[in-house]
Amino acid sequence: MKIVSLQSVVLGSVFPSVSYGGINEPYVLKVSEKLKDGRSEELDITVTEINYQQGDFDAYGFEIYTVHTSDGHIRVLPADKYIAEWSE
């Protein structure tokens, strides 16, 4: 099984709302789709792979997701702040 998307639990962008003062829109990362900035605008960077890792990391010490992108970077995200969607 592999991860096909991540959705933030607490993190995201807050947009103004007439009745509530603000709506929190979750941050979503999907394999084969472009990254979006905080204003929901697409960047010219595509998510190529998402992995889950746990163990004794010197810098982190907890569970993480690594998001590999077309620009050659690996973004490290805390697993307790994201919900993963898994697929075959």
Side-chain angles (χ1 to χ4, degrees):
M1 293 191 63
K2 60 183 177 179
I3 300 173
V4 293
S5 72
L6 293 176
Q7 177 179 321
S8 65
V9 177
V10 179
L11 309 170
S13 298
V14 177
F15 297 99
S17 169
V18 175
S19 57
Y20 298 108
I23 297 174
N24 187 18
E25 181 179 304
Y27 188 62
V28 178
L29 300 155
K30 293 183 180 181
V31 174
S32 300
E33 291 191 11
K34 294 188 182 238
L35 285 180
K36 294 185 179 179
D37 64 11
R39 298 177 304 260
S40 293
E41 305 220 0
E42 286 187 347
L43 303 172
D44 195 26
I45 302 168
T46 305
V47 176
T48 57
E49 181 181 1
I50 302 172
N51 296 310
Y52 171 78
Q53 296 178 347
Q54 68 181 46
D56 185 23
F57 296 99
D58 292 338
Y60 308 106
F62 53 86
E63 301 166 343
I64 60 171
Y65 292 111
T66 55
V67 179
H68 301 254
T69 55
S70 61
D71 62 353
H73 289 95
I74 299 173
R75 287 141 174 94
V76 178
L77 304 172
D80 64 337
K81 302 290 187 225
Y82 289 85
I83 298 171
E85 177 185 355
W86 294 79
S87 181
E88 292 293 327

